[in-house]
């Protein structure tokens, strides 16, 4: 079994305070969904997997790209209330919409920047916790695990709520 190891010279992630979350919401006009707020209170960004998990403004040196820096590059995401969660290491992103435009809850979807940076390519998880489980499993594995995501039976077994959202393509159809 593979073990998670911090990259050399990178500090262990720390959480963000409730006041910092409120300040982010005030600056951006985006209310952070409670499940994501719970995660950010544990780890406000982390150097894991190929691209890393993003965080809200932090004073740490050499930190990964922050959510607000990505809003400078992609203002349409901010306007839509989309929160970038992670990078796939190839310049594509995993996003959580906050306006429940796809139904109840906060799914996570993949954006292929070469295809269309303003729309979802396909859903990857029904919520932040399912996404983090998949993303962190990928980061510690010695082999490619994502294949299950493109198999309908395996994907819906791992994440039964995956098909409950409207307007998001399924990975096995993409």
């Amino acid at each position: 079994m593979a073990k998670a190891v911090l990259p050399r010279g990178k500090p262990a992630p720390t959480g963000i305070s409730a006041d910092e979350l409120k300040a982010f919401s005030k600056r951006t006009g985006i209310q952070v969904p409670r499940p994501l707020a719970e995660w950010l209170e544990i780890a406000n960004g982390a150097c894991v997997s190929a691209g890393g998990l993003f965080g809200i403004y932090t004073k740490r040196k050499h930190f990964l790209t922050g959510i607000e820096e990505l809003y400078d590059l992609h203002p349409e995401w901010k306007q839509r209330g989309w929160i970038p969660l992670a990078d796939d290491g190839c310049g594509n992103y995993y996003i959580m919409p906050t306006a429940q435009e796809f139904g109840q809850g906060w799914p996570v979807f993949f954006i292929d920047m070469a295809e269309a940076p303003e729309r979802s390519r396909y859903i990857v998880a029904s919520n932040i916790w399912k996404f983090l489980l998949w993303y962190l499993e990928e980061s510690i594995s010695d082999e490619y695990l994502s294949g299950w995501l493109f198999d309908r039976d395996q994907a819906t077994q791992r994440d039964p709520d995956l098909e409950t959202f409207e307007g998001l393509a399924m990975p096995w159809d993409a």
Side-chain angles (χ1 to χ4, degrees), residues 12-17 21 32-48 52-56 60 63-64 67 83-86 96 108 127-137 139:
T14 58
I16 195 167
S17 72
L21 279 168
V32 177
R34 188 69 215 145
L36 177 55
E38 290 169 352
W39 167 249
L40 291 171
E41 289 168 356
I42 295 167
N44 183 32
C47 295
V48 295
L53 294 165
F54 303 134
I56 293 172
R60 284 187 279 162
F63 188 66
L64 298 166
I67 293 167
I83 299 177
L85 302 176
M96 174 187 275
V108 176
N127 61 58
I128 185 72
W129 301 113
K130 297 278 186 181
F131 169 73
L132 289 169
L133 178 63
W134 167 75
Y135 193 81
L136 295 172
E137 281 179 343
S139 75

Side-chain angles (χ1 to χ4, degrees):
M1 168 173 270
K3 295 181 180 178
V5 178
L6 282 172
R8 173 174 268 155
K10 298 293 181 186
T14 58
I16 195 167
S17 72
D19 287 340
E20 290 170 309
L21 279 168
K22 287 178 189 172
F24 169 82
S25 291
K26 186 174 182 179
R27 283 190 309 273
T28 63
I30 298 170
Q31 183 65 40
V32 177
R34 188 69 215 145
L36 177 55
E38 290 169 352
W39 167 249
L40 291 171
E41 289 168 356
I42 295 167
N44 183 32
C47 295
V48 295
S49 196
L53 294 165
F54 303 134
I56 293 172
Y57 174 78
T58 179
K59 294 176 183 160
R60 284 187 279 162
K61 283 179 132 184
H62 311 294
F63 188 66
L64 298 166
T65 302
I67 293 167
E68 291 176 87
E69 287 83 5
L70 287 168
Y71 286 156
D72 291 340
L73 298 172
H74 306 285
E76 68 276 11
W77 295 353
K78 180 180 175 184
Q79 292 168 354
R80 294 181 79 171
W82 290 0
I83 299 177
L85 302 176
D87 184 328
D88 73 347
C90 296
N92 302 303
Y93 297 94
Y94 298 99
I95 304 282
M96 174 187 275
T98 62
Q100 297 189 336
E101 64 206 79
F102 302 106
Q104 289 293 97
W106 301 279
V108 176
F109 59 80
F110 179 76
I111 287 185
D112 182 330
M113 295 300 289
E115 184 180 295
E118 73 287 344
R119 68 178 165 84
S120 164
R121 175 79 168 106
Y122 52 81
I123 187 171
V124 295
S126 63
N127 61 58
I128 185 72
W129 301 113
K130 297 278 186 181
F131 169 73
L132 289 169
L133 178 63
W134 167 75
Y135 193 81
L136 295 172
E137 281 179 343
E138 285 282 317
S139 75
I140 63 172
S141 176
D142 293 331
E143 56 189 72
Y144 181 71
L145 297 174
S146 293
W148 67 264
L149 184 61
F150 298 96
D151 179 287
R152 183 181 192 159
D153 292 336
Q154 289 183 55
T156 56
Q157 182 179 7
R158 287 184 66 133
D159 191 347
D161 296 324
L162 204 56
E163 295 181 287
T164 62
F165 298 95
E166 296 178 16
L168 291 171
M170 294 295 127
W172 50 87
D173 292 332

